Amino acid sequence: MTISQVKPGQEFFVTQVLLQRELGKRLADMGFTRGARGRVVRRGLWGGPLQIQILGYDLAIRRTEAQGIQVEALVS
Amino acid sequence: MKTLKIALAGNPNSGKTTIFNALTGARQRVGNYAGVTVEKKEGRCQWQDWDIQVFDLPGIYSLTAYSLDEVVARDFLLEETPDVIVNVLDSTNLERNLYLTLQFMDLGIPLVGALNVADQAQRQGIEIDAGVLHQGLGIPLVKTSGAKAQGLEDLLAQAVQAFQAQARPPKIPFSAAVEAWLEPLEKTLQTLEPSRPRWLAVKLLEKDAGAWEKIAALPGAPGVKDLLNQAWASLEKTLGRDPEILISEERYGFLHGLCAQALRRRQTGPSTTQKVDAVVLNPILGLPIFFLVLWGIFQLTFTLGAFPQEWLEGFFAWSQNSLKTLIPPGLVQSLVVDGIIGGVGGVLSFVPLVVILFTFLSVLEDTGYMSRSAFLMDKFLHIFGLHGQSFLPMMLGFGCSVPAMMAARSLKSPRDRIITVLVIPFMNCGAKLPIHVLFAAVFFPENPGIMVMVIYLTGIFLAFGSAWIFRKTVLRGQDTPFVMELPPYRLPTLGKVLLHVGEKSWMYLRKAGTVILAASVLVWAATTFPQAPEGTPPDKAMETTLAGMTGKVLEPAFAPMGFDWKVAVATLTGFAAKEVVVSTLGVLYSVDGDATEENESLKQALKADPQFSPLTAFILMLFMLILAPCIAAQATIRSEIGGRWLGFFWVYSLALAWGLGVGIYQVGKLFGIGG
């Protein structure tokens, strides 16, 4: 599944980032590497960005980009 | 005295600027405009017998060339080689902050880490064992607090020591598979380009285009390329990963292990930031709160600002009257009283408003709420082809277009930057505010605040509309990604806000003292010479002057909007600086009116002028909002996105301002409103 399918409040770990080179590298720089654990904090209104917590900090990411981040949701 | 050159570098929101301010105090030079640290900030401090030069680099996440900020920081480190890099680290977020540290270590420049805001980390239940971190990284680490000015002496001492020892940070090895390729690569590079081979080797392995450019022209480049191709193929085959991602993964892998040893996290309840976010980013409450904040800022600015504004106005009126009795009537009196005090004084009385507005904007920026507003607004902005990160520069546009346009450098894609820069002038800037406040007060006395807000909203609407049009026509193309940190909320420190507001206000004052003073004198001269023959009635005297004649020439263009030549003159002088519009009107009307009459104020003169009705007053406000910005802003458009776009902007804004002005006036007349 992709990170945009993770429910708010649910934890995940990253399996793969399938995005064009530059953005993929940026997300890797920001901590989206294989095995990294994080949590979807909330989703923006009307299909707005996702707020994601990873490595203990929060970041916002648009859903189109979020669809390129493959994750596995953790059962809470 | 011994000298030392330090670069302060680190992630955005790591507290770099606070440390910079604490170190250098007032002894700093900020390129031209401060606030958003894109320009190089430079300062000095003394430690024992060392004279230390400190550079505050823009906050970055990585040493790639993803954004302009990163390019600036990277070029500085590589080309101006500081003696020591002081890496400011946010202790509440070490794992990601140290990722940049590992890249600095590859540069081979002496490196000192500042574990900043350690007290905050402690409050969040994070216990940091600096000894373990130091052992793992092999670089000196100092606990600091920029806000409380703690640990700074120690930090400088460590920096000096690292410099004296020429301590190269140790090499943190990657996995054996990666090192097997890095080592030969490093050796080859050393023969080509002996400085920073390790950094270059890693960057080349990461397929970094900028790093390749550095060596592409060297004779041994083809050999390096062969080696790289082999390395990429082999690594992809054996590890099944793109090498650039592999490097990031291994770095984070190392840091994950290190932080697991060095950090102890106590379970704590939700942090203050999480609690605040739950409210201000709430799906239902988020946007209303945001608009309430905006509305509150404008209301407070105008109600609080009104008092000092009245005092200043009173003071200038008093000094005009006293000078009239001191200086005998004639050209000198006219120059001083009407030209200089009338012009500059009219502008200075708006300083309190500007200071208050800048204070609020600075607080919003420092607390971290600005990035929340980008989160809330991205979906909306995206509809118009803008980027969530365009929002902060646009908001800054309410203060002054110049730093706002410079802040747009944080946008990665050139197209987003161009659009943002082009629409910023529609965000009503602080210098245009005096015009709106003046006309709203005279012609909409019941609700001046609402009227000013309408102008602001119109500006916002035009900005979005224009962005949409640009995106559909001249600036088509793919969307750029939106990936933005939401930093923890921080209380803005009084010192930082004061420094920031002080800088901005000083800029405004300096403008008043130079550009506006010069413009006022010029306007006075243009409205005085050539003098009308003796005995011309005062209300006709202006028409023979240079300004009057130019205005008359332009009058046909202004007439369809319901304006006469006086507005044409004010518009022309407005290009020097928008505040000058008010002072020009001051000069125009004081010459026009009966000079012997007691204190005929500009407001009364405007009210008495038959060309102004609520309708034309509104059109004037709108016209001034849209029309080409001041010289300084135009120069900034040119330097940020080029002369071609400046030309485009000119044509576009002129057509829009004139078209709307004429349209509204003609329709208004048709329906018998004003006119």
Side-chain angles (χ1 to χ4, degrees):
Chain A
M1 72 196 295
T2 75
I3 209 169
S4 57
Q5 293 164 309
V6 179
K7 288 194 190 71
Q10 201 168 19
E11 289 193 44
F12 61 82
F13 65 89
V14 178
T15 52
Q16 206 176 5
V17 177
L18 298 170
L19 284 163
Q20 44 106 341
R21 151 150 300 144
E22 241 190 338
L23 180 60
K25 176 66 179 165
R26 161 79 355 173
L27 285 172
D29 284 344
M30 301 295 280
F32 287 87
T33 50
R34 193 204 285 248
R37 276 180 66 157
R39 188 168 66 89
V40 172
V41 180
R42 62 173 58 82
R43 294 173 177 179
L45 203 55
W46 301 313
L50 304 178
Q51 181 181 355
I52 290 165
Q53 193 172 60
I54 192 160
L55 296 178
Y57 78 96
D58 286 63
L59 116 169
I61 181 169
R62 216 181 260 157
R63 291 197 199 182
T64 31
E65 281 93 52
Q67 275 160 9
I69 305 174
Q70 302 278 324
V71 297
E72 202 124 327
L74 292 175
V75 189
S76 47
Chain B
M1 201 133 192
K2 291 170 278 187
T3 58
L4 182 69
K5 190 164 139 190
I6 288 181
L8 282 182
N11 279 187
N13 311 303
S14 57
K16 237 167 10 70
T17 303
T18 314
I19 290 211
F20 177 72
N21 290 340
L23 280 176
T24 62
R27 284 178 300 170
Q28 46 175 278
R29 252 184 343 146
V30 188
N32 272 329
Y33 302 99
V36 184
T37 6
V38 171
E39 285 301 289
K40 238 188 297 175
K41 283 180 147 194
E42 188 190 335
R44 264 173 199 288
C45 66
Q46 244 79 46
W47 183 80
Q48 291 186 353
D49 55 342
W50 290 83
D51 178 27
I52 302 174
Q53 205 183 358
V54 189
F55 291 88
D56 184 17
L57 301 188
I60 53 173
Y61 294 109
S62 179
L63 274 182
T64 53
Y66 186 79
S67 68
L68 214 62
D69 280 358
E70 289 188 359
V71 176
V72 168
R74 176 164 146 165
D75 286 351
F76 182 87
L77 293 175
L78 290 175
E79 271 138 45
E80 297 190 37
T81 328
D83 295 318
V84 180
I85 300 174
V86 171
N87 182 195
V88 181
L89 300 159
D90 176 356
S91 299
T92 65
N93 186 5
L94 268 181
E95 214 167 307
R96 197 201 65 214
N97 274 255
L98 288 171
Y99 180 79
L100 183 63
T101 311
L102 293 183
Q103 300 183 52
F104 287 150
M105 290 174 73
D106 286 341
L107 287 170
I109 300 170
L111 180 67
V112 178
L115 293 169
N116 202 26
V117 291
D119 47 340
Q120 242 176 59
Q122 203 161 20
R123 253 177 286 134
Q124 289 178 24
I126 304 171
E127 216 66 59
I128 299 167
D129 189 334
V132 175
L133 273 183
H134 170 67
Q135 255 180 356
L137 293 166
I139 58 164
L141 294 168
V142 182
K143 283 194 180 176
T144 57
S145 163
K148 293 180 194 148
Q150 281 167 356
L152 299 180
E153 288 279 313
D154 199 15
L155 187 65
L156 292 176
Q158 291 290 348
V160 166
Q161 206 186 344
F163 169 65
Q164 281 177 319
Q166 277 301 306
R168 290 174 67 91
K171 179 159 108 180
I172 307 276
F174 291 94
S175 66
V178 174
E179 285 295 338
W181 288 105
L182 274 178
E183 270 159 38
L185 205 52
E186 242 182 288
K187 281 213 181 75
T188 319
L189 285 168
Q190 225 154 6
T191 60
L192 294 177
E193 153 75 61
S195 65
R196 288 177 275 287
R198 172 82 179 170
W199 184 79
L200 262 179
V202 177
K203 279 288 152 192
L204 287 174
L205 204 61
E206 282 185 302
K207 304 183 179 173
D208 184 288
W212 175 249
E213 270 166 36
K214 282 196 193 312
I215 63 148
L218 300 175
V224 176
K225 188 85 199 189
D226 283 345
L227 197 57
L228 277 174
N229 280 329
Q230 287 174 42
W232 291 334
S234 148
L235 286 172
E236 282 215 51
K237 205 169 129 207
T238 52
L239 298 171
R241 253 349 172 284
D242 211 329
E244 58 189 303
I245 301 296
L246 192 67
I247 298 279
S248 299
E249 277 187 17
E250 292 200 357
R251 283 201 162 124
Y252 270 121
F254 168 78
L255 292 174
H256 196 68
L258 180 64
C259 288
Q261 286 180 315
L263 305 189
R264 223 155 291 281
R265 286 197 176 85
R266 255 186 305 114
Q267 267 305 337
T268 48
S271 67
T272 316
T273 295
Q274 283 165 337
K275 283 185 218 155
V276 176
D277 271 349
V279 179
V280 304
L281 295 183
N282 180 289
I284 297 158
L285 295 174
L287 280 175
I289 289 176
F290 173 60
F291 288 116
L292 204 67
V293 167
L294 275 188
W295 180 81
I297 285 177
F298 289 120
Q299 283 297 319
L300 275 176
T301 303
F302 297 124
T303 38
L304 285 181
F307 298 105
Q309 196 187 354
E310 266 170 40
W311 305 333
L312 282 173
E313 274 172 354
F315 169 75
F316 287 117
W318 169 82
S319 46
Q320 272 179 315
N321 280 332
S322 347
L323 282 169
K324 267 186 197 163
T325 58
L326 285 175
I327 309 172
L331 277 181
V332 179
Q333 191 206 59
S334 161
L335 170 65
V336 174
V337 174
D338 300 326
I340 297 178
I341 300 196
V344 177
V347 172
L348 284 186
S349 58
F350 287 97
V351 166
L353 284 190
V354 173
V355 170
I356 295 171
L357 189 67
F358 279 151
T359 309
F360 283 124
L361 285 178
S362 166
V363 167
L364 276 196
E365 207 180 320
D366 291 351
T367 48
Y369 186 69
M370 280 279 201
S371 64
R372 268 68 184 185
S373 72
F375 176 83
L376 288 170
M377 298 296 291
D378 181 68
K379 184 69 200 177
F380 176 70
L381 287 161
H382 198 196
I383 296 172
F384 297 94
L386 282 159
H387 189 271
Q389 264 168 308
S390 306
F391 201 69
L392 179 115
M394 285 171 78
M395 290 284 290
L396 289 176
F398 287 136
C400 174
S401 298
V402 174
M405 289 172 180
M406 295 171 90
R409 288 181 194 178
S410 62
L411 284 155
K412 197 198 118 43
S413 123
R415 198 179 43 235
D416 288 336
R417 255 183 82 202
I418 292 170
I419 294 186
T420 309
V421 167
L422 288 177
V423 302
I424 280 173
F426 297 125
M427 309 305 279
N428 194 39
C429 77
K432 290 178 185 169
L433 186 59
I435 310 171
H436 304 315
V437 172
L438 175 69
F439 278 85
V442 176
F443 295 98
F444 304 94
E446 302 87 39
N447 282 317
I450 302 269
M451 214 46 221
V452 173
M453 201 163 138
V454 166
I455 285 294
Y456 272 94
L457 291 174
T458 311
I460 296 170
F461 174 78
L462 288 173
F464 285 125
S466 302
W468 187 81
I469 293 170
F470 296 158
R471 203 73 174 74
K472 291 277 173 217
T473 54
V474 285
L475 288 158
R476 270 179 290 195
Q478 264 221 314
D479 286 344
T480 30
F482 176 74
V483 177
M484 185 191 62
E485 187 184 358
L486 298 168
Y489 291 106
R490 299 231 157 98
L491 280 179
T493 58
L494 188 65
K496 198 172 166 191
V497 171
L498 285 181
L499 204 69
H500 189 125
V501 172
E503 262 165 25
K504 291 279 166 68
S505 314
W506 174 237
M507 243 171 65
Y508 188 91
L509 279 172
R510 213 170 39 192
K511 209 159 92 177
T514 53
V515 180
I516 296 171
L517 175 66
S520 300
V521 172
L522 276 179
V523 168
W524 172 83
T527 51
T528 307
F529 303 107
Q531 274 182 301
E534 281 295 323
T536 316
D539 56 323
K540 295 268 185 260
M542 176 69 89
E543 295 173 26
T544 62
T545 64
L546 187 62
M549 288 187 290
T550 319
K552 289 273 183 198
V553 170
L554 291 173
E555 199 173 51
F558 283 79
M561 292 184 282
F563 299 138
D564 66 6
W565 57 277
K566 289 200 207 85
V567 174
V569 173
T571 306
L572 279 183
T573 57
F575 289 131
K578 285 290 162 186
E579 301 94 325
V580 178
V581 170
V582 172
S583 58
T584 303
L585 291 172
V587 175
L588 284 172
Y589 281 93
S590 72
V591 176
D592 222 332
D594 191 345
T596 56
E597 203 180 314
E598 281 269 313
N599 202 9
E600 165 79 288
S601 82
L602 179 56
K603 284 179 183 172
Q604 281 157 334
L606 286 172
K607 197 159 192 135
D609 188 331
Q611 72 166 309
F612 288 120
S613 63
L615 176 70
T616 48
F618 176 73
I619 295 173
L620 183 99
M621 289 158 83
L622 199 65
F623 189 69
M624 293 297 171
L625 165 76
I626 305 169
L627 195 67
C630 67
I631 300 274
Q634 291 188 34
T636 314
I637 297 181
R638 186 158 171 266
S639 63
E640 293 296 312
I641 58 176
R644 259 185 48 227
W645 285 112
L646 176 61
F648 169 81
F649 181 77
W650 248 98
V651 174
Y652 179 80
S653 66
L654 196 66
L656 189 64
W658 194 78
L660 274 180
V662 172
I664 295 176
Y665 181 66
Q666 298 301 336
V667 170
K669 235 173 42 173
L670 213 64
F671 287 93
I673 318 164

